[in-house]
Amino acid sequence: MRLTALSRFFSLGTCALAVALCTTAPSTYAASAQDPALVIEDNDFLGPGGSDIQSTIPLLGNPHIKVLGFTVTTGDDWENAESAHLRRFLELAKRTDIPVAEGAVYPLLNTPALMRLHEQEFGRIPWKGAWGGLGDGTTVPETQPALPKLPEGLPSTPAAQETAALFLIRAVHEHPHQVTIVAAGPLTNLALAIRLDPSFAATAKHLVFMGGLLDTDLMSVTGNANFASDFNMIFDPEAAHITLTAPWPAITVVGNISNSVAMTKAYMARIAQKSTPVTRYLSQYISPLPMWDEMTTAIAADPSLVTQSVKAYMDIDTSQGSHYGHARVWPKDLAPRTQHVREVTIVQKIDEARFLNTFMQQAHSL
């Protein structure tokens, strides 16, 4: 069964598998080149260039990381285009040895029509990704369109035969308690894996995800509303809730902090001082936006980048109201007991200078 069909199947509410509970402290990665840390990145790889594609660099350029694969889900763009952009970039980076597993084309419940209805009642969502970007979404197709022409050229490397949810489950069980999942897009693929296999999350090592922004109402008034919208959670709130209440051994949240460092033309010029196929690609398709996903993968690859964090209990609101898709947090003694909320580590500060210097070195190494 294609994952598209699986997504529709689960969206009918027929998945009712129980999820076990456990909470343990985050663990660190192996620092030995002989025993690299195992990572899978799940993302909505909008391309060419930009934060989504550039998020691969802290993983590909780190000799202490072994990337088992990339999994793709609709979010910033439709899944078929994202997969093609990613596979083309991996060809330029000479890393076609890493499989790309295509995943969910649609969220579990959300649709373009439902998002437009939500906007009519509660106000415009500034970024809707595949469903209209910054426009009003009125011309967005209800189904995934055919693969468009890519400015960087179509890839010749095919996607993996396995769908994303099944790839994730298999990889985790082949390496029990060793695989870190880095999620920088909507969490649909992870929710599907959890519903297919209730032991999936507990068999992984760590979930590091970009999202779960908090207290951003004022930021949307005084700054860039798009940067405050928490798109990854809003696009598929039910998947985010399923994922955050699953029994991961540890969860790290890269939320508000992800807005703190931006890609600039000056910084890209420094990267482009060394001319390689990768740096020429990055420079050609520069997107001067916050380094949301790059920071997330960098923290997953090197947790010592984090200089300040706080522990809390987190969940995503799935009620049909103005806070649909928004994150909520509680201290332990106030956390609800009936929602199976789990402790997470929320990143508050990182070593920004080291992050930028290391990212540049890693881009040069590819």
Side-chain angles (χ1 to χ4, degrees):
M1 183 185 293
R2 278 286 298 163
L3 199 54
T4 303
L6 279 173
S7 179
R8 290 169 175 160
F9 174 77
F10 287 121
S11 72
L12 295 175
T14 57
C15 51
L17 296 174
V19 179
L21 300 177
C22 74
T23 302
T24 60
S27 56
T28 57
Y29 297 104
S32 168
Q34 288 75 38
D35 186 22
L38 306 181
V39 175
I40 298 171
E41 183 184 354
D42 181 79
N43 207 342
D44 51 346
F45 291 96
L46 176 66
S51 184
D52 297 285
I53 295 293
Q54 289 167 181
S55 68
T56 64
I57 290 172
L59 303 178
L60 299 177
N62 188 324
H64 305 304
I65 298 293
K66 180 178 181 179
V67 182
L68 297 179
F70 296 102
T71 54
V72 183
T73 182
T74 290
D76 284 336
D77 200 351
W78 288 101
E79 181 266 353
N80 58 350
E82 295 169 347
S83 171
H85 284 300
L86 175 60
R87 286 181 282 125
R88 180 61 185 139
F89 174 74
L90 292 176
E91 290 175 347
L92 295 173
K94 302 187 186 305
R95 293 306 309 269
T96 56
D97 57 303
I98 302 176
V100 174
E102 297 180 334
V105 177
Y106 308 104
L108 299 185
L109 294 177
N110 207 7
T111 66
L114 288 174
M115 184 171 278
R116 288 194 293 271
L117 185 63
H118 182 87
E119 287 186 304
Q120 291 170 12
E121 188 168 0
F122 300 110
R124 187 172 67 87
I125 297 170
W127 172 252
K128 292 179 281 294
W131 293 352
L134 297 174
D136 61 11
T138 56
T139 61
V140 175
E142 296 292 323
T143 59
Q144 177 168 262
L147 181 66
K149 182 179 179 180
L150 305 186
E152 71 273 38
L154 290 171
S156 58
T157 308
Q161 292 296 310
E162 210 169 15
T163 55
L166 297 180
F167 177 88
L168 287 160
I169 291 168
R170 179 179 57 80
V172 163
H173 283 285
E174 286 181 353
H175 308 278
H177 313 298
Q178 299 178 62
V179 180
T180 293
I181 308 296
V182 188
L187 300 176
T188 316
N189 286 335
L190 301 189
L192 289 169
I194 290 163
R195 286 304 197 228
L196 284 168
D197 176 11
S199 69
F200 163 71
T203 309
K205 179 180 181 180
H206 195 172
L207 170 65
V208 181
F209 80 95
M210 189 268 134
L213 275 64
L214 300 166
D215 304 322
T216 57
D217 288 347
L218 185 59
M219 177 183 173
S220 69
V221 174
T222 60
N224 189 318
N226 175 40
F227 300 170
S229 68
D230 209 3
F231 171 77
N232 290 344
M233 305 296 100
I234 290 171
F235 194 75
D236 195 344
E238 288 75 22
H241 167 72
I242 289 169
T243 301
L244 286 183
T245 54
W248 304 92
I251 301 174
T252 296
V253 182
V254 186
N256 297 48
I257 183 65
S258 65
N259 281 306
S260 66
V261 181
M263 173 61 70
T264 65
K265 292 182 179 179
Y267 178 59
M268 182 59 76
R270 292 174 58 200
I271 293 174
Q273 286 177 353
K274 180 176 180 179
S275 181
T276 69
V278 167
T279 60
R280 290 193 295 271
Y281 169 95
L282 298 178
S283 180
Q284 180 177 358
Y285 299 113
I286 180 176
S287 183
L289 293 168
M291 298 177 72
W292 298 296
D293 298 358
E294 301 97 322
M295 184 183 294
T296 303
T297 55
I299 289 171
D302 181 7
S304 70
L305 281 172
V306 178
T307 60
Q308 182 177 320
S309 64
V310 63
K311 293 187 183 298
Y313 286 73
M314 176 177 282
D315 198 3
I316 303 301
D317 194 337
T318 58
S319 61
Q320 296 298 318
S322 60
H323 289 90
Y324 181 57
H326 289 225
R328 292 203 60 192
V329 292
W330 304 267
K332 183 176 181 179
D333 60 338
L334 299 181
R337 303 304 177 192
T338 59
Q339 298 179 29
H340 309 305
V341 293
R342 299 190 174 284
E343 186 179 66
V344 302
T345 299
I346 301 172
V347 178
Q348 295 177 296
K349 292 182 182 179
I350 68 163
D351 186 334
E352 295 181 1
R354 184 155 67 88
F355 164 59
L356 290 171
N357 287 335
T358 302
F359 183 87
M360 181 170 61
Q361 293 168 5
Q362 291 166 336
H364 287 168
S365 73
L366 298 176

